[in-house]
Amino acid sequence: MTNPNSGLRISNNIHVKRAERKLTQQALADALNVTRATIHAIEKGNYNPSLVLAFKLSRFFDTDIHSIFFVENENEK
């Protein structure tokens, strides 16, 4: 059986959204009630947030989840 997640990487542009609002990682973390380390790990692609946190991010930035998170095919890199 083939692994449906094989070759997929979830990326995000949270750092861009933060920069547009001139927010630090700490300010965003405080607004979402998470740690700065969580924001850092998500931005670096080392941690995929829960759906709840993904929706909180989309609400915070007043946009849809697909504007923040997207799937990249690792085979295309």
Side-chain angles (χ1 to χ4, degrees), residues 1 5-6 12 18 48 56-58 64 67 76:
M1 183 173 231
N5 296 323
S6 130
N12 68 77
R18 275 194 314 101
N48 290 325
K56 284 182 179 181
L57 283 159
S58 71
D64 62 297
S67 295
E76 293 176 359

Side-chain angles (χ1 to χ4, degrees), residues 24-56:
T24 63
Q25 287 180 340
Q26 187 63 58
L28 178 58
D30 290 346
L32 298 174
N33 199 29
V34 297
T35 65
R36 187 206 58 81
T38 298
I39 299 301
H40 176 77
I42 293 169
E43 287 185 2
K44 293 295 182 186
N46 297 330
Y47 173 72
N48 290 325
S50 67
L51 280 173
V52 171
L53 183 51
F55 275 103
K56 284 182 179 181

Side-chain angles (χ1 to χ4, degrees), residues 63-76:
T63 190
D64 62 297
I65 287 177
H66 286 100
S67 295
I68 299 173
F69 297 97
F70 49 95
V71 177
E72 291 183 336
N73 186 338
E74 288 182 348
N75 299 328
E76 293 176 359

